[in-house]
Amino acid sequence: MAERRAVVVEDDPSIAELVSEVLGRAGFAVTRVADGSQALAVIAETNPDLVTLDLSLPGMDGVEVCRRIRDTSDCYVVMLTARAQEIDVLIGLEVGADDYIAKPFSPRELTARVAALFRRPRGAPDQTRAASPASPAVIDGGAGLLVDRNAHLVTIDGDVVDLTRTEYDLLCHLATRSGTVVPRGELLREVWDTEFTGDSHVVDVHVANLRRKLRLHSTTSWIRTVRGVGFRFDGA
């Protein structure tokens, strides 16, 4: 197997060294850069498998860098933020990162989160999470909601609902468990493939985005919050 390549975009030398060391031990060939413009040039040249991206970069910030990466690359992007509260804002902005980690973080957490990403399918959304023989190819959520798992397509009364990969995965998991309360921890394991339950607020923000997008097409409330536990999909 070819060695995986990673680009660490971080202007704090101590954090850049820590991230580079962790990724190096995980088997990545690591390139370090300290600003967004340099990062885009290196990414275009090396076509990395992974980019870790600091939010607060000098000049072009991490949000803009991530959006530009997404114009040309399907590499995994992990965004590092100084405050956990920023994660909610970033998810709401849909900047295109695959995961978000608040500083300070442990080497063990970074290693686990990166490993979880590489257990998820990489590539265009319509190439991911096709229906398995044990699951329905088309989920009828009721009230006009259809999820075509082979085409990776969500429609309401024939109108296409534009979802991110994570929102789509959340909807699929909840809809296949229709009528059952799904704990946040289960969603973290199944959608994010991680056991780090301290990030459960990330689930809430993604669910809020998913609900908002569904409401653009219908007044039906498919996803219910079960206080203190998780969420329940009320379908057909």
Side-chain angles (χ1 to χ4, degrees), residues 79-93:
M79 188 164 284
L80 307 179
T81 74
R83 295 180 298 276
Q85 294 87 338
E86 291 175 332
I87 294 176
D88 297 357
V89 176
L90 291 167
I91 295 171
L93 290 174

Side-chain angles (χ1 to χ4, degrees), residues 15-195:
I15 296 177
E17 182 176 356
L18 170 64
V19 174
S20 298
E21 181 179 340
V22 169
L23 295 180
R25 289 201 304 265
F28 288 87
V30 179
T31 302
R32 286 168 51 175
V33 296
D35 65 71
S37 297
Q38 187 181 8
L40 292 173
V42 169
I43 291 165
E45 179 182 348
T46 62
N47 188 28
D49 302 284
L50 171 71
V51 174
T52 66
L53 180 59
D54 182 39
L55 173 62
S56 302
L57 293 169
M60 188 187 309
D61 67 13
V63 169
E64 181 60 25
V65 173
C66 189
R67 285 176 171 155
R68 295 196 187 189
I69 290 172
R70 281 291 170 252
D71 287 339
T72 59
S73 174
D74 69 347
C75 67
Y76 291 111
V77 177
V78 176
M79 188 164 284
L80 307 179
T81 74
R83 295 180 298 276
Q85 294 87 338
E86 291 175 332
I87 294 176
D88 297 357
V89 176
L90 291 167
I91 295 171
L93 290 174
E94 298 182 4
V95 299
D98 295 285
D99 202 357
Y100 305 86
I101 303 178
K103 304 172 186 176
F105 51 85
S106 69
R108 176 177 173 270
E109 178 178 5
L110 178 59
T111 300
R113 299 281 279 273
V114 168
L117 284 179
F118 280 86
R119 290 194 293 269
R120 296 176 64 183
R122 180 184 178 193
D126 60 3
Q127 296 173 333
T128 65
R129 292 188 184 262
S132 69
S135 61
V138 177
I139 302 169
D140 185 349
L145 173 65
L146 295 175
V147 181
D148 186 331
R149 303 184 73 190
N150 287 333
H152 196 104
L153 186 68
V154 177
T155 59
I156 296 177
D157 293 330
D159 294 333
V160 175
V161 183
D162 185 19
L163 301 178
T164 66
R165 178 171 62 183
T166 299
E167 291 160 1
Y168 172 82
D169 290 347
L170 270 173
L171 179 59
C172 279
H173 191 77
L174 290 169
T176 55
R177 302 282 309 279
S178 182
T180 301
V181 178
V182 181
R184 289 173 176 83
E186 178 180 325
L187 291 170
L188 282 168
R189 289 193 303 273
E190 297 300 324
V191 176
W192 281 267
D193 200 4
T194 180
E195 296 287 348

Side-chain angles (χ1 to χ4, degrees), residues 178-223:
S178 182
T180 301
V181 178
V182 181
R184 289 173 176 83
E186 178 180 325
L187 291 170
L188 282 168
R189 289 193 303 273
E190 297 300 324
V191 176
W192 281 267
D193 200 4
T194 180
E195 296 287 348
F196 282 94
T197 56
D199 293 306
S200 62
H201 73 284
V202 172
V203 177
D204 295 69
V205 180
H206 277 289
V207 169
N209 275 353
L210 173 58
R211 283 171 166 156
R212 175 177 55 81
K213 291 182 177 181
L214 295 176
R215 280 198 300 268
L216 293 175
H217 300 270
S218 175
T219 58
T220 302
S221 296
W222 285 277
I223 302 172

